[in-house]
């Protein structure tokens, strides 16, 4: 668990007076005296600032206490201002009852909590490094810590720009085969100079590979030094990164038109020399490296397939679709066998899955905001797989990860926000907003408590996550039914 989980920082607020200023017109401020961590300070806030705070909170948090009623005209009478002062005091007290609100970056800024939290580890994520100003939006990326290297898949996010580029890149019958003059997608390899992840980095571009279509997903197979790239129009590229080059160059291996629509999931089985893939064409396919061709194809269900996770140790494949279903296949034999079709509790597009194989728990996030925790069963018992917890979160979740040590689920969203969820209680622990556009990839480093995020805003950022939030929920004082305690003991690991 996070440090001082049973000793949250005490915070109290009191609106002590009403202050009027000419800035340049007459404006009313409510003076808030904040006390936290043996300090006290004053914040003067307008009613409109309270309104903006609640708007920001509502983007990530459900059932935010409402603002006192607005009026068409400015309050000027003393009794009206005093009534609003009392209502705002009640609002602050209600907000302070909610740990997920106290930990939200907007609330921290509203009360200036970070600036006055001296002597304690800053309870907000700290930006360690950033690779910004990239030529296109980030679709996916791979981080090689020991080698100090990043491989990034880029895509043009503007529809109009993509249409223009498709026309420019098109080969007409009177032309010879042309090079990509206006890339819609690209791969790039960056050498990281500057030491470990906590040092100041600078990035050196080592190689660049343009494509006339959008890239979508990356997969790295370390033992083969093989990079697999899934494209928007169904093509899959297999590339090698020679070990002697220190990731400084790439070599094309082969390419295959595996799908007729966007490639959404990839896996590699080095024992069989095959790759697994799924696409929005509803196909599950197996590609043989040696033959450089597809050796198996199956239509899975009636809906687009959105993600694939390969369990190499137990020879299983987990596939997600756009209607909230997960398929579990055994791939131990020559032909995949469907073991289980499991509804996740979501009715939306499943975007990502994290599997903790040591506990046989799978975590999924969906576009309708549903986070599902499932017991997928030990090998041979997949028929008993079941959903054990469903959390309604922020909509349009794109990525999911798990912090085992702090018992938190981490989700990243199209809004550019990252949310830490208390996995036991199913409540928001903290929220921050690292990007101005959709987050498309997230990597969690459990040992270092570092989060890497990539976004359509053309940047990758590296964040140090604090050891504690302003308020950490204590589990020891909860009164729960025995059945819930049994469930929680499973979810917590």
């Amino acid at each position: 668990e996070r440090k001082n989980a049973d000793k949250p920082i005490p915070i109290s607020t009191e609106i002590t007076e009403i202050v009027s200023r000419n800035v340049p017109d007459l404006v009313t401020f409510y003076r808030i005296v904040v006390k936290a961590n043996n300090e006290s300070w004053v914040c003067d806030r307008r009613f409109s600032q309270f309104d903006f705070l609640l708007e920001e909170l509502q983007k990530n948090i459900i059932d935010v206490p409402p603002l006192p009623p607005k009026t068409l005209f400015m309050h000027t009478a003393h009794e009206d201002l005093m009534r609003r002062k009392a209502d705002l005091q009640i609002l602050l007290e209600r907000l302070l009852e909610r740990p997920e609100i106290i930990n939200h970056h907007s609330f921290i800024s509203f009360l200036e909590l970070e600036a006055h939290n001296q002597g304690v580890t800053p309870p907000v994520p700290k930006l360690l490094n950033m690779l910004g100003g990239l030529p296109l939006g980030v679709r996916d990326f791979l981080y090689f810590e020991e080698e100090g290297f990043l491989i990034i898949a880029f895509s043009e996010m503007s529809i109009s720009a993509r249409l223009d580029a498709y026309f420019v890149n098109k080969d007409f019958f009177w032309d010879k085969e042309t090079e990509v003059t206006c890339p819609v997608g690209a791969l790039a390899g960056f050498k990281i100079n500057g030491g470990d992840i906590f040092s100041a980095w600078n990035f050196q571009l080592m190689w660049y590979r343009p494509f006339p279509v959008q890239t979508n997903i990356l997969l790295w197979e370390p033992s083969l030094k093989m990079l697999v790239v899934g494209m928007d129009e169904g093509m899959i590229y297999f590339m090698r990164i020679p070990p002697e080059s220190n990731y400084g160059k790439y070599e094309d291996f082969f390419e295959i038109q595996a799908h007729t629509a966007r490639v959404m999931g990839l896996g590699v089985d080095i024992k069989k020399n095959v790759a697994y893939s799924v696409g929005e064409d509803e196909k599950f396919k197996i590609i043989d490296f040696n033959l450089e061709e597809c050796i198996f194809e199956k239509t899975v269900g009636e809906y687009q397939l959105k993600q694939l996770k390969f369990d190499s140790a137990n020879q299983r494949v987990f596939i997600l679709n756009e209607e909230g279903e997960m398929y579990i296949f055994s791939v131990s034999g020559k032909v995949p066998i469907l073991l289980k079709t499991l509804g996740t509790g979501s009715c939306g597009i499943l975007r990502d899955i994290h599997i903790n194989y040591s506990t046989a728990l799978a975590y999924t996030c969906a576009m309708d905001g549903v986070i599902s925790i499932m017991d997928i069963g030990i090998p041979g018992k997949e028929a008993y797989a079941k959903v054990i917890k469903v959390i309604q979160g922020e909509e349009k979740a794109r990525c999911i990860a798990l912090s085992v040590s702090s018992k938190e689920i981490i989700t990243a969203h199209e809004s550019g926000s990252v949310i830490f969820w208390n996995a036991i209680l199913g409540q928001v622990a903290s929220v921050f907003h690292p990007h101005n556009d959709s987050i498309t990839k997230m990597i969690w480093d459990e040992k270092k408590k570092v989060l890497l995020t990539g976004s359509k805003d053309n940047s990758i950022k590296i964040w140090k996550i604090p050891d504690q939030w302003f308020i950490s929920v204590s589990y020891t004082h909860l009164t729960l039914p025995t059945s819930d305690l049994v469930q929680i003991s499973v979810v917590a690991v």
Side-chain angles (χ1 to χ4, degrees), residues 249-270:
K249 65 177 183 178
Y250 69 89
E251 298 173 353
D252 288 327
F253 180 24
F254 75 97
E255 60 191 67
I256 182 172
Q257 185 68 52
H259 296 272
T260 58
R262 179 181 296 173
V263 180
M264 296 300 296
L266 294 167
V268 170
D269 187 342
I270 59 174

Side-chain angles (χ1 to χ4, degrees), residues 225 241-247:
K225 302 295 181 186
I241 311 292
E244 63 275 11
S245 71
N246 194 26
Y247 295 81

Side-chain angles (χ1 to χ4, degrees), residues 69-303:
K70 298 180 181 181
T71 59
L72 293 176
F73 304 100
M74 182 184 298
H75 281 298
T76 56
H78 178 72
E79 59 270 20
D80 291 337
L81 292 174
M82 293 303 292
R83 189 180 304 112
R84 174 167 281 183
K85 170 178 172 288
D87 290 342
L88 291 175
Q89 178 64 45
I90 293 171
L91 172 64
L92 283 174
E93 291 171 358
R94 294 183 65 188
L95 294 176
L96 286 169
E97 293 172 354
R98 302 275 297 275
E100 70 271 32
I101 290 177
I102 297 174
N103 289 321
H104 195 280
H105 62 93
S106 297
F107 192 79
I108 291 171
S109 175
F110 182 79
L111 292 183
E112 302 177 4
L113 290 170
E114 183 180 8
H116 294 274
N117 191 35
Q118 301 300 319
V120 180
T121 302
V124 293
K126 177 184 178 183
L127 182 63
L128 297 175
N129 284 289
M130 180 177 75
L131 178 56
L134 296 168
L136 300 169
V138 175
R139 210 66 179 282
D140 199 354
F141 68 91
L142 302 168
Y143 169 54
F144 304 88
E145 181 178 9
E146 292 185 4
E147 296 81 2
F149 209 80
L150 275 174
I151 297 177
I152 306 173
F154 301 102
S155 284
E156 174 59 68
M157 300 303 173
S158 166
I159 295 176
S160 59
R162 289 202 301 269
L163 292 174
D164 290 343
Y166 290 145
F167 182 81
V168 171
N169 294 326
K170 184 175 178 61
D171 291 332
F172 293 98
F173 68 89
W174 59 80
D175 292 327
K176 296 181 179 179
E177 185 175 347
T178 60
E179 295 182 356
V180 179
T181 56
C182 188
V184 177
L187 288 178
F190 288 87
K191 181 68 177 176
I192 301 170
N193 301 309
D196 65 20
I197 202 166
F198 298 106
S199 306
W201 283 353
N202 61 76
F203 300 88
Q204 179 184 0
L205 178 64
M206 302 299 293
W207 50 265
Y208 180 79
R209 168 75 149 88
F211 293 96
V213 296
Q214 287 183 297
T215 58
N216 193 41
I217 56 172
L218 300 175
L219 178 70
W220 174 250
E221 173 41 56
S223 61
L224 300 177
K225 302 295 181 186
M226 185 167 67
L227 178 65
V228 189
V229 187
M231 310 297 287
D232 261 29
E233 62 9 316
M235 187 76 76
I236 299 177
Y237 289 84
F238 294 82
M239 306 162 68
R240 295 195 188 278
I241 311 292
E244 63 275 11
S245 71
N246 194 26
Y247 295 81
K249 65 177 183 178
Y250 69 89
E251 298 173 353
D252 288 327
F253 180 24
F254 75 97
E255 60 191 67
I256 182 172
Q257 185 68 52
H259 296 272
T260 58
R262 179 181 296 173
V263 180
M264 296 300 296
L266 294 167
V268 170
D269 187 342
I270 59 174
K271 296 179 181 178
K272 297 180 179 179
N273 287 322
V274 298
Y276 303 103
S277 69
V278 294
E280 291 185 342
D281 58 1
E282 305 168 17
K283 303 293 186 183
F284 170 32
K285 296 197 174 186
I286 303 178
I287 301 161
D288 188 295
F289 300 156
N290 298 325
L291 299 177
E292 299 184 9
E293 64 181 31
C294 178
I295 59 172
F296 173 83
E297 175 183 313
K298 181 179 178 64
T299 300
V300 180
E302 301 177 355
Y303 304 103

Side-chain angles (χ1 to χ4, degrees), residues 361 363 371 373 388-391 401-404 406-410 420-429 473 475 487-493:
L361 293 179
Y363 304 77
I371 301 167
I373 307 174
I388 60 175
K389 194 176 188 69
V390 173
I391 302 168
L402 177 69
S403 174
V404 176
S406 59
K407 300 180 176 65
E408 289 173 338
I409 300 166
I410 311 168
F420 289 78
W421 297 86
N422 183 305
I424 296 176
L425 302 179
Q427 297 177 355
V428 175
V473 179
Y475 314 132
Q487 176 176 316
I488 284 173
S489 67
V490 174
V491 174
V493 294

Side-chain angles (χ1 to χ4, degrees), residues 9 34-43 45 108-120 123 470:
I9 298 172
V34 186
K35 296 181 180 180
N37 197 33
N38 298 319
E39 285 192 64
S40 64
W41 61 94
V42 172
C43 301
R45 297 291 181 260
I108 291 171
S109 175
F110 182 79
L111 292 183
E112 302 177 4
L113 290 170
E114 183 180 8
H116 294 274
N117 191 35
Q118 301 300 319
V120 180
F470 269 114

Side-chain angles (χ1 to χ4, degrees), residues 273-475:
N273 287 322
V274 298
Y276 303 103
S277 69
V278 294
E280 291 185 342
D281 58 1
E282 305 168 17
K283 303 293 186 183
F284 170 32
K285 296 197 174 186
I286 303 178
I287 301 161
D288 188 295
F289 300 156
N290 298 325
L291 299 177
E292 299 184 9
E293 64 181 31
C294 178
I295 59 172
F296 173 83
E297 175 183 313
K298 181 179 178 64
T299 300
V300 180
E302 301 177 355
Y303 304 103
Q304 293 180 355
L305 304 180
K306 291 296 184 177
Q307 184 59 275
L308 178 149
K309 188 75 68 175
F310 173 52
D311 174 11
S312 59
N314 300 303
Q315 290 290 293
R316 297 181 295 182
V317 168
F318 299 84
I319 298 174
L320 309 180
N321 75 4
E322 65 175 345
E323 289 292 316
E325 295 176 317
M326 179 173 73
Y327 303 95
I328 307 175
F329 282 89
S330 169
V331 290
S332 58
K334 292 184 178 180
V335 177
I337 299 174
L338 179 62
L339 302 175
K340 178 78 172 183
T341 301
L342 180 64
T344 63
S346 166
C347 296
I349 299 171
L350 296 175
R351 294 307 305 257
D352 199 11
I353 180 171
H354 173 88
I355 301 178
N356 186 341
Y357 295 108
S358 63
T359 60
L361 293 179
Y363 304 77
T364 60
C365 64
M367 291 294 281
D368 61 4
V370 170
I371 301 167
S372 302
I373 307 174
M374 292 157 286
D375 181 351
I376 57 176
I378 61 175
K381 300 293 184 180
E382 291 85 1
Y384 301 100
K386 60 183 179 180
V387 176
I388 60 175
K389 194 176 188 69
V390 173
I391 302 168
Q392 180 59 58
E394 179 183 337
E395 293 184 349
K396 298 182 179 180
R398 291 286 299 258
C399 314
I400 191 165
L402 177 69
S403 174
V404 176
S405 60
S406 59
K407 300 180 176 65
E408 289 173 338
I409 300 166
I410 311 168
T411 56
H413 299 260
E414 288 194 1
S415 64
S417 64
V418 170
I419 303 178
F420 289 78
W421 297 86
N422 183 305
I424 296 176
L425 302 179
Q427 297 177 355
V428 175
S430 187
V431 182
F432 79 111
H433 202 84
H435 293 278
N436 297 321
D437 206 334
S438 176
I439 297 174
T440 52
K441 179 63 177 286
M442 175 175 70
I443 298 174
W444 170 246
D445 187 324
E446 177 75 18
K447 292 182 180 179
K448 292 183 171 62
K449 297 295 183 288
V450 167
L451 188 72
L452 293 84
T453 56
S455 170
K456 290 183 179 181
D457 67 6
N458 299 23
S459 71
I460 292 175
K461 298 180 180 181
I462 298 92
W463 303 89
K464 176 67 176 72
I465 303 304
D467 292 327
Q468 71 171 93
W469 306 120
F470 269 114
I471 292 292
S472 299
V473 179
S474 174
Y475 314 132

